[in-house]
Amino acid sequence: MNIILFGPPGSGKGTLSSRLNEVGFFSISTGDILRQEVANKTDLGLKIADIMNRGDLVSDEIMINLIANQIEDKSKNYLLDGFPRNISQALELEKYFNVDKVVNLDVDKDVLFKRIIGRRVCQECKKNFNIYFYPPTKENRCDGCSSPIITRKDDNEASLSTRLEKYYEKSEKVIEYYQKQNKLFKIDGSKDPKEIFDTVKKKLNF
Ligand code: AP5
Ligand code: MG
């Protein structure tokens, strides 16, 4: 089964994705892949760093190439986190990938703000924390590997406002597109992560 995780910045795509990994899904996070390109200072990374930092979207051409290279093994149960983000990407994906279900994580804007501004990520193992909801035991250190935890470059008020604007501008058509195909499941993303995971499991029958 191939699943898409859809939702605004901070809706919990990455958090849910980690749990789904544990039950056999192979997750592909376009945001994580792009951040790695930026960290490695590759040609692509240098080209997209500013775009990402200010919260804009990377071009469809780059994104479609990137995702096409990731989806190779048809026997895997894929989980796409962060793709598609607009209707062109959704249509393009259809050409070589069978989308079975789309999980639409629904969370109010004011909650999203606290989640994003409070998020900290471990520099080494990439574990996520949140100073408001899931603070680390030791200040500014990862509970898992003790490395420093840092703020993502696009997790500031100005970039978040652009990211939200882009999301609300493009999301409606994508939601409609999958709704018409009866593939969309709207989930209350403001609940506890374990409850969200259990609901997804039940609704998607696995
Ligand atoms: P991407 O990395 O995909 O960022 P995003 O969509 O803005 O989403 P986030 O990763 O910020 O949030 P999330 O939904 O994963 O939430 P999380 O689980 O971390 O994309 C980054 C950039 O890359 C884009 O802006 C764009 O430039 C580019 N890009 C990527 N894909 C692209 C594409 N297809 N086309 C064009 N450009 C693309 O949770 C957030 C916080 O909340 C954490 O602190 C977490 O601990 C906490 N939290 C999560 N769930 C809960 C819960 N249930 N209760 C309480 N706290 C929670
Ligand atoms: Mg994420």
Side-chain angles (χ1 to χ4, degrees):
M1 183 185 354
N2 293 323
I3 304 178
I4 286 173
L5 296 189
F6 196 75
S11 56
K13 301 183 293 294
T15 303
L16 178 59
S17 170
S18 312
R19 287 179 185 250
L20 290 168
N21 270 340
E22 288 164 15
V23 294
F25 284 93
F26 185 86
S27 72
I28 299 174
S29 158
T30 45
D32 286 348
I33 296 170
L34 296 174
R35 278 186 287 280
Q36 198 55 54
E37 295 282 337
V38 173
N40 293 344
K41 296 192 166 68
T42 61
D43 288 347
L44 173 61
L46 294 171
K47 203 164 153 184
I48 61 174
D50 287 346
I51 299 173
M52 288 182 75
N53 290 348
R54 63 173 186 261
D56 272 327
L57 291 178
V58 174
S59 76
D60 286 347
E61 195 194 344
I62 290 177
M63 293 316 299
I64 288 158
N65 272 329
L66 186 141
I67 203 86
N69 289 330
Q70 295 289 324
I71 303 165
E72 284 169 340
D73 182 353
K74 300 271 181 234
S75 66
K76 281 184 181 164
N77 293 312
Y78 281 108
L79 173 78
L80 305 189
D81 160 1
F83 191 98
R85 254 177 159 86
N86 59 33
I87 194 67
S88 332
Q89 293 183 4
L91 293 173
E92 201 58 40
L93 183 65
E94 205 87 327
K95 292 182 187 166
Y96 53 90
F97 185 79
N98 182 46
V99 175
D100 294 301
K101 316 267 181 196
V102 180
V103 174
N104 179 24
L105 289 166
D106 186 41
V107 183
D108 283 349
K109 247 188 191 174
D110 51 337
V111 178
L112 296 176
F113 187 85
K114 245 183 150 174
R115 284 191 183 177
I116 290 292
I117 300 304
R119 173 168 51 195
R120 302 290 180 271
V121 185
C122 174
Q123 240 173 350
E124 285 303 316
C125 72
K126 311 294 176 204
K127 194 174 162 59
N128 262 251
F129 298 87
N130 190 291
I131 56 166
Y132 304 114
F133 306 116
Y134 305 109
T137 319
K138 265 196 238 155
E139 205 179 343
N140 296 327
R141 291 274 157 188
C142 174
D143 285 356
C145 68
S146 297
S147 303
I149 55 172
I150 54 165
T151 304
R152 238 167 73 173
K153 281 205 170 137
D154 58 346
D155 282 351
N156 55 69
E157 286 188 37
S159 304
L160 175 59
S161 127
T162 308
R163 285 156 68 195
L164 287 170
E165 194 184 300
K166 299 285 163 197
Y167 173 79
Y168 291 114
E169 194 182 296
K170 314 270 180 193
S171 61
E172 209 173 314
K173 281 195 177 152
V174 180
I175 290 172
E176 260 173 31
Y177 180 70
Y178 290 121
Q179 225 161 16
K180 277 191 190 144
Q181 299 177 39
N182 283 325
K183 290 180 177 171
L184 194 94
F185 294 80
K186 186 171 164 181
I187 306 275
D188 182 354
S190 65
K191 302 274 193 232
D192 175 80
K194 161 118 184 31
E195 204 179 328
I196 295 172
F197 174 68
D198 289 341
T199 310
V200 168
K201 239 172 107 177
K202 214 162 152 191
K203 287 213 175 185
L204 270 52
N205 267 326
F206 63 86

